[in-house]
């Protein structure tokens, strides 16, 4: 565990620093040295350290100042502060600002070793948990669902849990949010993944034909029934059936669907044979079924049968962190489709995409990106190529300049601050990085993640 564990020792007292380096090397750690906070900061920019052991008092840049800068560069590195007994109050303040622990001089070697071992164990557990999370993510097939926001990440975690069960699933959310994708992810991550995944839109079929589509019909059951036809439930045997817009199903059909869910068997229209089925039912709607139940438009007993697990898919405006990666993903595929060389969006265009309320959700965003690709005449899609934004659908630009009083995820606020500053500096990345107090490399990494840079 320790032989590859790297420690940066930061102390302007050469003899003390050398003594610690010799001691820690003897314990099996790989040691790097810095004689002040400033070179320590530069070294952290260049490479990763598993732990930093740093004196609090140094001539040029103190340990506290260096710790603040290092936490901006890589907050994951545990920092142990060394201090004289008289500065314990300062060390406690350092703990509040992110230090892992502190040690008083003269250093107690046993305590030093124990503190480092605790830090290494914490690192090991964090890395193990990260590997486990990545392993679970690799096992879970997202079915091309692009999700970076906390709310969507949590939803996909729930889908991963629900998928392995046999529970009936109800997916709710506005039109265009991607309910069919969630249904697909539920099926293809289940034990039924090798079975069929049959889809039907209840709103797209007339009442007279819906029963035949779902349950099939016998030859001669009605005018035009020239032969026997198997319905969607039989086609989905051993797999899953997805009933989209189930809220549009007539009350007469709701009774028959309820019976199927209760008895797990169907009868073809015009027939008498009872056919057992083994099908998982997944439904979706953009309406509030509970309201429809109260209005007498949807059966209460069917509602409870369908709503065993309710997966709410938030509107795109509720998960703005997903807009840049979705936009960039479709920009790439649509640029290839239209045989155009387009690398990304201008900062102004991306800011507009993020601020737009997207009443049509992901479906509208994809259409907008396609329009931008078709009209774009440069390597980056600009505002002039989007040509869709109604002013009333745009959030105020000043909302990105500071705290609005609305509690939002920190990563969302950070993204808005970066894009706002980039716009305010006229796309000057060096000045943007300086004003934000981050390195240009960090800024580039952030902008790439937002889809602003290729």
């Amino acid at each position: 565990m320790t032989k590859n564990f790297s420690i940066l020792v930061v102390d302007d007292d050469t003899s003390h620093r050398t003594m610690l380096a010799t001691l820690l090397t003897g314990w099996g750690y790989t040691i790097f040295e810095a004689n002040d906070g400033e070179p320590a900061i530069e070294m952290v920019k260049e490479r990763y350290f598993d732990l930093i052991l740093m004196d609090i008092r140094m001539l040029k840049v103190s340990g506290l100042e260096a710790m603040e800068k290092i936490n901006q560069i890589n907050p994951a590195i545990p920092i142990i502060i060394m201090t004289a007994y008289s500065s314990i109050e300062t060390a406690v303040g350092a703990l509040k600002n992110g230090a892992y622990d502190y040690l008083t001089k003269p250093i107690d070697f046993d305590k030093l070793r124990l503190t480092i071992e605790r830090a290494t164990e914490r690192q090991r557990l964090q890395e193990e948990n990260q590997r486990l999370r990545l392993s679970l993510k690799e096992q879970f097939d997202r079915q091309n669902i692009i999700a970076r926001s906390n709310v969507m990440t949590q939803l996909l975690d729930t889908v991963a849990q629900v998928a392995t069960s046999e529970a009936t699933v109800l997916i709710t959310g506005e039109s265009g949010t991607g309910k069919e994708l969630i249904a697909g992810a539920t099926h293809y991550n289940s034990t039924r993944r090798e079975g069929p995944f049959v889809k039907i839109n209840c709103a797209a079929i007339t009442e007279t034909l819906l029963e035949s589509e779902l349950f099939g019909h016998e030859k001669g059951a009605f005018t035009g029934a020239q032969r026997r036809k198997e319905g969607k439930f039989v086609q989905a045997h051993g797999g899953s059936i997805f009933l989209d817009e189930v809220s549009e199903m007539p009350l007469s059909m709701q009774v028959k669907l309820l019976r199927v869910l209760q008895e797990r068997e169907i009868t073809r229209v015009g027939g008498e044979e009872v056919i057992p089925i083994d099908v998982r039912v997944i439904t979706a709607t953009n309406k509030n079924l509970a309201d429809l139940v109260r209005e007498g438009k949807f059966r209460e007993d069917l509602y409870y049968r369908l709503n065993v697990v309710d997966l709410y898919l938030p509107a795109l405006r509720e998960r703005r962190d997903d807009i840049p990666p979705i936009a960039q993903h479709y920009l790439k595929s649509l640029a290839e489709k239209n045989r155009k060389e387009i690398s990304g969006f201008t900062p102004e265009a991306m800011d507009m995409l993020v601020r737009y309320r997207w009443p049509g959700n992901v479906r509208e965003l994809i259409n907008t990106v396609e329009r931008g690709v078709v009209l774009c005449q440069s390597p980056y899609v600009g505002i002039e190529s989007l040509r869709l934004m109604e002013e009333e659908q745009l959030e105020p630009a000043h909302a990105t300049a500071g705290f609005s009083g609305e509690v939002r995820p920190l990563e969302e606020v950070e993204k808005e601050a970066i894009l706002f500053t980039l716009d305010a500096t006229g796309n000057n990345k060096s000045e943007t990085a300086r004003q934000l107090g981050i390195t240009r490399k960090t800024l580039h990494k952030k902008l790439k993640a937002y889809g602003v840079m290729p």
Side-chain angles (χ1 to χ4, degrees), residues 203-219:
I205 302 172
T206 62
E207 181 177 350
T208 53
L209 289 178
L210 185 57
E211 184 177 3
S212 172
E213 283 293 317
L214 289 176
F215 307 135
H217 62 253
E218 297 288 355
K219 180 180 178 181

Side-chain angles (χ1 to χ4, degrees), residues 270-290:
E272 296 181 356
E273 180 187 1
V274 175
I275 306 168
I277 55 166
D278 173 25
V279 174
R280 183 186 195 175
V281 177
I282 304 170
T283 61
T285 178
N286 60 7
K287 295 183 178 178
N288 188 317
L289 287 188

Side-chain angles (χ1 to χ4, degrees), residues 5-9 30-33 39-52 74 76-78 123:
F5 197 88
S6 60
I7 299 177
L8 173 61
V9 180
T30 301
I31 303 304
F32 297 82
E33 299 179 44
I41 294 166
E42 294 304 314
M43 291 173 75
V44 171
K45 289 179 183 177
E46 297 298 322
R47 58 155 295 152
Y48 176 77
F49 297 100
D50 294 293
L51 184 140
I52 297 174
N74 190 342
I77 304 175
Q123 290 289 89

Side-chain angles (χ1 to χ4, degrees), residues 234-254:
V234 170
Q235 294 173 24
H237 184 76
S240 306
I241 187 168
F242 175 50
L243 306 177
D244 198 7
E245 302 303 346
V246 70
S247 58
E248 304 305 311
M249 184 177 285
L251 284 167
S252 59
M253 276 301 303
Q254 291 178 30

Side-chain angles (χ1 to χ4, degrees), residues 40 68 85 92 94 125 169 177 199 239 251 303 340 381 396 406 432:
E68 184 180 347
Y85 184 78
V92 171
L125 289 174
V169 176
T177 49
K199 298 173 277 188
L251 284 167
Y303 170 63
K340 284 196 167 186
V381 174
E406 176 191 1
T432 298

Side-chain angles (χ1 to χ4, degrees), residues 146-391:
I146 301 169
R148 178 190 294 159
S149 63
N150 290 335
V151 65
M152 281 300 291
T153 301
Q154 290 169 9
L155 174 63
L156 291 180
D157 287 343
T158 304
V159 172
Q161 290 178 294
V162 171
T164 56
S165 73
E166 287 292 312
T168 303
V169 176
L170 172 64
I171 305 169
T172 58
E174 295 180 7
S175 293
T177 49
K179 295 187 289 295
E180 186 176 321
L181 286 176
I182 295 295
T186 303
H187 169 74
Y188 289 110
N189 287 281
S190 73
T191 55
R192 297 173 175 270
R193 67 176 67 87
E194 300 301 325
F197 179 49
V198 177
K199 298 173 277 188
I200 183 169
N201 189 321
C202 300
I205 302 172
T206 62
E207 181 177 350
T208 53
L209 289 178
L210 185 57
E211 184 177 3
S212 172
E213 283 293 317
L214 289 176
F215 307 135
H217 62 253
E218 297 288 355
K219 180 180 178 181
F222 50 82
T223 304
Q226 303 292 330
R227 57 183 176 82
R228 172 191 283 180
K229 175 185 176 181
E230 299 295 0
K232 299 294 186 183
F233 271 97
V234 170
Q235 294 173 24
H237 184 76
S240 306
I241 187 168
F242 175 50
L243 306 177
D244 198 7
E245 302 303 346
V246 70
S247 58
E248 304 305 311
M249 184 177 285
L251 284 167
S252 59
M253 276 301 303
Q254 291 178 30
V255 176
K256 294 172 182 177
L257 176 59
L258 177 64
R259 181 179 177 278
V260 171
L261 293 173
Q262 290 172 334
E263 307 298 333
R264 295 288 164 178
E265 59 189 28
I266 60 104
T267 302
R268 299 186 192 95
V269 177
E272 296 181 356
E273 180 187 1
V274 175
I275 306 168
I277 55 166
D278 173 25
V279 174
R280 183 186 195 175
V281 177
I282 304 170
T283 61
T285 178
N286 60 7
K287 295 183 178 178
N288 188 317
L289 287 188
D291 287 347
L292 295 181
V293 169
R294 284 189 288 271
E295 295 168 9
K297 297 178 181 178
F298 202 86
R299 291 183 63 96
E300 185 175 20
D301 45 7
L302 177 59
Y303 170 63
Y304 289 120
R305 279 280 180 178
L306 298 179
N307 194 27
V308 176
V309 177
D310 182 3
L311 299 176
Y312 170 68
L313 189 52
L316 191 56
R317 62 183 171 276
E318 297 171 13
R319 48 186 175 105
R320 295 184 188 276
D321 280 355
D322 294 330
I323 294 173
I326 292 173
Q328 192 67 29
H329 171 80
Y330 284 100
L331 177 79
K332 181 179 178 182
S333 62
L334 290 167
E336 291 175 359
K337 176 184 173 182
N338 288 278
R339 297 178 295 280
K340 284 196 167 186
E341 293 186 7
I342 302 176
S343 301
F345 299 89
T346 65
E348 296 83 5
M350 182 57 73
D351 175 66
M352 182 173 278
L353 291 176
V354 171
R355 289 197 292 118
Y356 191 61
R357 290 184 57 79
W358 299 110
N361 291 294
V362 179
R363 191 180 295 134
E364 184 184 4
L365 173 59
I366 295 171
N367 291 341
T368 299
V369 172
E370 183 167 18
R371 181 185 296 111
V373 168
V374 171
L375 298 177
C376 183
Q377 297 181 6
S378 70
Y380 292 90
V381 174
I383 293 175
E384 67 285 350
S385 299
L386 297 177
R387 295 185 187 177
L388 94 161
M389 307 301 182
E390 301 173 23
E391 284 299 321

